[in-house]
């Protein structure tokens, strides 16, 4: 399966519909994404969301190049503060 870690997505279903999140991982069955935004959903307790319930705002061809996202892709721990700043910079571009 494709590695979605570090991609920016928007929720299209559920109570968090319209919210912007970062994919911090994929569950064991490779069916659901682990999403966090650093505020309502912390990196330590990400939201499980099915792949069909999100819209990808970035992909392999149009990656978002931010130091916090690169850190996440490398597998190093990411703080909620760094994630919030990365998502705020993404929204502001």
């Amino acid at each position: 399966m494709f590695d979605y870690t570090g991609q920016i997505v928007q929720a299209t279903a559920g109570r968090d519909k319209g919210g912007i999140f970062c994919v911090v991982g994929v569950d064991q069955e490779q069916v659901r994404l682990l999403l966090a935004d650093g505020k309502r959903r912390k990196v330590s307790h990400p939201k499980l969301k099915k792949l069909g319930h999100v819209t990808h705002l970035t992909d392999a061809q149009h990656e978002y190049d931010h130091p916090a996202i690169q850190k996440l892709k490398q597998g190093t721990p990411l703080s909620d503060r760094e994630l919030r700043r990365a998502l705020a910079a993404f929204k502001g571009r």
Side-chain angles (χ1 to χ4, degrees):
M1 181 172 188
F2 183 73
D3 183 24
Y4 293 102
T5 304
Q7 289 192 0
I8 308 296
V9 297
Q10 184 173 20
T12 58
R15 76 171 67 178
D16 53 1
K17 182 177 181 178
I20 305 290
F21 296 92
C22 181
V23 179
V24 295
V26 181
D27 73 339
Q28 303 246 342
E29 294 86 28
Q30 304 284 320
V31 178
R32 296 179 292 182
L33 302 174
L34 301 170
L35 306 178
D37 64 358
K39 189 171 183 176
R40 289 180 43 202
R41 282 296 175 168
K42 308 290 184 181
V43 175
S44 61
H45 188 67
K47 169 100 174 139
L48 285 169
K49 199 101 161 126
K50 288 186 179 180
L51 189 58
H53 293 173
V54 297
T55 300
H56 295 275
L57 301 177
T58 60
D59 56 11
Q61 291 84 19
H62 304 97
E63 290 185 359
Y64 178 54
D65 192 33
H66 190 275
I69 302 299
Q70 296 302 323
K71 190 175 177 182
L72 182 64
K73 288 182 181 181
Q74 293 172 357
T76 56
L78 183 69
S79 71
D80 292 319
R81 182 182 208 177
E82 291 172 316
L83 183 59
R84 282 193 310 267
R85 288 183 177 180
L87 290 175
F90 178 79
K91 292 176 187 176
R93 65 176 191 150

